[in-house]
Amino acid sequence: MSRHASVKAAFRKQVLGLYFDHKLKPSEKSVLMTLATFLGADGLYPSHDAIARACRYSVRTVIRALERGYELGLIERTHRRKRVEGRWVRTSNTYRLLIKATDQVRAAGKHMGRAIFRGVRVLSDRMAQKASRDISIEEKRLLSGRRYPEPHGPSQLSPGEWGGNHQKLGNHLTRNSV
């Protein structure tokens, strides 16, 4: 089995596993499986339109499915440009199918960092690491102790506990709900 065939097989196995775990929709599974078919010796760089034609979905569905692949760390993209008549023109992206767990975690963190820093054109790995570190620090702060008490809705309080001004409202609600 060639190197590309083993990468395709491992990638497809991961996609199917996520699909059977209900983490991917059928359209996302189809788009990601189709993307793997474009892998060749010279790389992986199909256009959104080519993927859409191959799997018979709209271009917008393909873009959404690829975004989901970036979120899960299954694929990594690199924007390609080429020089045409003295100016740079964007062409199709170059994709990389990620098989190793460490690569997937790094790619998912980088994608999360891009989502946080929307205004930044180029996001380095260092910026993505800083974003994920800041988020984990904030989560720890929130989980270690609450700054505000847990909110309680009216369903947990009796009408007498709502206060004097709301007593009539409580009687009205209980009378109409019966």
Side-chain angles (χ1 to χ4, degrees), residues 79-146:
H79 298 293
R80 290 192 324 150
R81 301 182 311 160
K82 66 180 182 179
R83 197 160 185 97
V84 176
E85 297 178 7
R87 62 185 194 126
W88 289 98
V89 178
R90 281 196 58 190
T91 63
S92 61
N93 298 323
T94 300
Y95 299 100
R96 189 171 139 224
L97 305 178
L98 302 174
I99 306 302
K100 295 180 183 174
T102 55
D103 292 340
Q104 290 176 345
V105 169
R106 186 182 62 76
K110 195 171 180 180
H111 182 74
M112 179 188 65
R114 277 194 186 97
I116 292 171
F117 296 110
R118 280 281 184 205
V120 177
R121 292 180 67 76
V122 177
L123 180 69
S124 66
D125 288 338
R126 187 174 181 190
M127 291 171 70
Q129 288 171 352
K130 181 183 180 317
S132 62
R133 186 180 69 237
D134 291 347
I135 288 171
S136 66
I137 290 170
E138 184 66 20
E139 282 179 350
K140 287 178 186 175
R141 186 185 68 78
L142 288 174
L143 294 176
S144 65
R146 295 200 178 275

Side-chain angles (χ1 to χ4, degrees), residues 35 38 44-54 59 62-63 66 80 91-95:
L35 177 67
F38 286 96
L44 178 63
Y45 45 89
S47 67
H48 292 153
D49 190 46
I51 299 169
R53 281 194 313 262
V59 173
V62 168
I63 292 170
L66 291 174
R80 290 192 324 150
T91 63
S92 61
N93 298 323
T94 300
Y95 299 100

Side-chain angles (χ1 to χ4, degrees), residues 4-16 98-99 104:
H4 296 296
S6 63
V7 169
K8 284 181 192 180
F11 180 77
R12 287 180 172 154
K13 185 176 179 181
Q14 285 181 340
V15 169
L16 283 175
L98 302 174
I99 306 302
Q104 290 176 345

Side-chain angles (χ1 to χ4, degrees), residues 14-63:
Q14 285 181 340
V15 169
L16 283 175
L18 289 169
Y19 174 71
F20 290 128
D21 289 340
H22 303 290
K23 294 182 181 175
L24 287 175
K25 296 177 186 175
S27 60
E28 295 167 344
K29 175 192 69 89
S30 177
V31 168
L32 293 173
M33 296 289 245
T34 303
L35 177 67
T37 62
F38 286 96
L39 182 62
D42 57 340
L44 178 63
Y45 45 89
S47 67
H48 292 153
D49 190 46
I51 299 169
R53 281 194 313 262
C55 63
R56 296 185 178 168
Y57 282 109
S58 70
V59 173
R60 187 66 208 142
T61 301
V62 168
I63 292 170

